[in-house]
Every structure is written in C-alpha cells, then in structure tokens.
Amino acid sequence: MKPIYWKKWMLDITDLYGTNEIDSNRKKTDITIVSQLPKNTIEEKYHMLKKFKTLHINLEQTEEELLKGMNRTTRYQINRALKETFEFTIVDDPSSKDIEEFVRFFIPFAKEKRIPACSHSKLRSLGEEGMLVITKVLDDKGRKLASHAYSLTEHKVSMIHSCSARFDFGNNQERNRIGRANRFLHWNDILFFKRKGYQIYDFVGLSFDDDEDEAMKNISDFKRGFGGREVIEYKYYKAHSFAGRAVLFVLSQKWRKRPDFLEYSFK
C-alpha cells in the first residue's frame, strides 16, 4: 500500500490503510495514522487506538440486489431523482484546480455543520498517487448541488468527504431536492465503482449506540438507508517525534470519554 504524506497543525503525517507495517524505508514524519485495521493487534509505545464503526456495501451484488438492500425512503428518493434533470460528473484524475474547487465547496458546508474542514494537503497527496476520485451533481442551471471525495485502496473505495449546497437555500422544497440529488450522487458513485471492479463501497463512519452526537446519528441513519453491512475496524496513531507525542497526548485527553476510544500508551 502506498503511504500518503500530508500536513496538519504543522505536523508531517503518514497515512496508511489496512496494514500495521511501519517500515524504516518510509519518509520520517511526526505521526503515522493506520486506518481500516481489521483487528486490534497493536502493542507499542507512544500510540493511541480507536475503534471505528463503518458501513460496507458489497459491490459484487447485482444492481437489483443493491436497490433491494436499501430502505424504502432511500429507494424512493433515488427513483424520484432519476426523473429530474440532474447531471452526474466523475473526476477520476482530479487536477489541483478540481481539488481546490472541492475544498471551496466544502468550507461553508463544514461551517454550517460544525465539522472540521477537509485537508487540502491530504487530498492533494492522494491525487498525486492516483488514489483520489471526486464526484459531483449539478442541476439544469449548472449549479453544484452535492459533491463527494473518495480514496482508492486495492478493491475498496472509501468516502473521505461528502458535502452539499443545502444550506445555501432557505427554501425547504429546494433543500429536499438537494437531498434527493445527494442520494442520486451516492447511487451513481456506487454504480461507477462497481463497473470499475471495486468490491467494497465504504461509507466510512457510523455512530455508536452510546454516542451523544445527534448530528452524527442523523448522518448514520442516512448512510444505513443504502443497506450494507456494519463493520468494526480500528484506527491506530503512532508518534515518532516529541511534537507527535504531544499532539497524541492532547487528543487522548480530549477523546478518552468517547465511545470509540480504546487506549493510549506514552510509557
């Protein structure tokens, strides 16, 4: 698996997916983040571990099986969207301009939702390695209604970010239309990656039963509407520098009461 190098808070970060192998030949950074580990097998100093609930959709199913696995509301919204004049676009080799456009579109959505901004550095690094796909849906006036960003790893495609323009409109009817456009976009993304031969569409992130974040629960209900199988994975953070250890310690104190937090070790 290719490592992805990016920056956050003036830290140099290495991103890996699905492996806990951190060999000495890789570029030296402050923190290594290993995502999508199938089980907890970490026993090292200066680390932090979180469990992660996510949703996998099996892309080896037929189109009919995929639709049947959805709940009634999601299926209805997609069928209704298919009758509207939405334009679906795939950018499978995004340029710097494409990435910048996505980041600008994400900023007001993140502010309204009170979620962290997306990392321009990480998206750029994924793009340079050929591991990034950006999708979007436009209306008949050319207005962007929703957009998604995905990372590609072997036979799995994982959603990094999803955003929409629903907060740009005060009209409930228009907001509902954008909600349909967003579901339409997810459905077209799923079919695109299925045709490309990927086996798993990973929605990346579901709330735990004891999570008190109501917004996260609503997002999780939206994702579950597409069917799929709930999976527990693990996310591992390893510090390699004093700055990295300091940041992980601060994060461990901030996150330690969350239902997804497992452990940290700085001894």
Side-chain angles (χ1 to χ4, degrees):
M1 182 59 59
K2 294 178 183 177
I4 300 300
Y5 302 108
W6 54 290
K7 284 183 174 289
K8 185 171 184 179
W9 303 326
M10 302 303 290
L11 295 177
D12 291 315
I13 297 172
T14 301
D15 242 331
L16 295 169
Y17 293 86
T19 174
N20 59 4
E21 297 175 4
I22 307 174
D23 62 54
S24 58
N25 295 323
R26 294 199 172 103
K27 181 179 174 182
K28 299 296 183 183
T29 58
D30 298 295
I31 294 174
T32 295
I33 303 174
V34 186
S35 302
Q36 300 176 342
L37 284 167
K39 53 182 157 181
N40 171 11
T41 57
I42 307 301
E43 293 182 5
E44 296 186 56
K45 292 193 296 183
Y46 309 127
H47 79 270
M48 185 169 66
L49 189 68
K50 295 173 71 180
K51 63 181 178 179
F52 193 77
K53 184 187 284 190
T54 187
L55 188 72
H56 288 179
I57 294 178
N58 177 10
L59 298 182
E60 295 181 307
Q61 298 177 91
T62 66
E63 185 173 331
E64 292 73 21
E65 288 171 333
L66 288 166
L67 280 168
K68 188 177 179 180
M70 298 177 185
N71 68 20
R72 193 174 183 180
T73 299
T74 302
R75 196 162 49 243
Y76 169 78
Q77 294 286 348
I78 289 171
N79 287 331
R80 186 172 173 185
L82 290 170
K83 299 173 183 177
E84 301 189 49
T85 52
F86 294 135
E87 179 186 342
F88 168 65
T89 301
I90 289 276
V91 186
D92 57 1
D93 185 19
S95 64
S96 296
K97 183 178 178 181
D98 294 320
I99 294 171
E100 180 63 35
E101 178 189 314
F102 180 86
V103 171
R104 287 199 307 269
F105 186 68
F106 190 86
I107 288 171
F109 177 83
K111 286 181 178 177
E112 190 69 34
K113 282 281 191 179
R114 298 182 181 178
I115 59 176
C118 60
S119 169
H120 196 165
S121 173
K122 182 175 181 178
L123 293 176
R124 187 171 61 247
S125 183
L126 284 165
E128 289 170 355
E129 295 294 342
M131 297 169 62
L132 178 68
V133 169
I134 294 174
T135 67
K136 56 186 176 182
V137 58
L138 311 178
D139 66 9
D140 55 355
K141 297 178 181 177
R143 297 181 300 179
K144 189 191 298 186
L145 303 182
S147 190
H148 303 153
Y150 294 93
S151 64
L152 310 177
T153 55
E154 297 175 3
H155 51 265
K156 179 193 284 189
V157 54
S158 303
M159 191 175 68
I160 310 172
H161 299 295
S162 172
C163 52
S164 74
R166 63 189 301 266
F167 297 113
D168 295 345
F169 302 91
N171 187 313
N172 283 337
Q173 185 176 356
E174 192 67 17
R175 287 189 177 192
N176 291 337
R177 183 167 174 262
I178 292 171
R180 291 195 297 276
N182 192 28
R183 286 183 171 89
F184 169 85
L185 182 58
H186 276 294
W187 174 235
N188 279 276
D189 293 348
I190 287 168
L191 294 181
F192 170 78
F193 291 119
K194 174 179 170 58
R195 289 193 297 269
K196 285 289 186 179
Y198 288 93
Q199 298 172 15
I200 297 172
Y201 180 94
D202 188 347
F203 257 113
V204 183
L206 292 176
S207 62
F208 287 89
D209 293 339
D210 49 351
D211 195 327
E212 297 179 358
D213 189 332
E214 194 65 31
M216 184 60 186
K217 288 181 179 179
N218 292 336
I219 292 171
S220 296
D221 288 342
F222 173 89
K223 293 176 180 180
R224 289 186 177 105
F226 286 84
R229 177 173 63 96
E230 295 188 20
V231 176
I232 295 292
E233 296 177 336
Y234 297 88
K235 192 165 188 174
Y236 167 67
Y237 302 75
K238 168 72 176 174
H240 306 288
S241 68
F242 177 79
R245 291 195 293 272
V247 168
L248 288 194
F249 179 77
V250 170
L251 289 177
S252 70
Q253 300 308 298
K254 179 181 178 181
W255 292 343
R256 62 180 178 169
K257 293 184 179 180
R258 289 180 52 88
D260 58 345
F261 187 81
L262 290 180
E263 66 176 43
Y264 64 92
S265 173
F266 298 103
K267 298 181 180 179

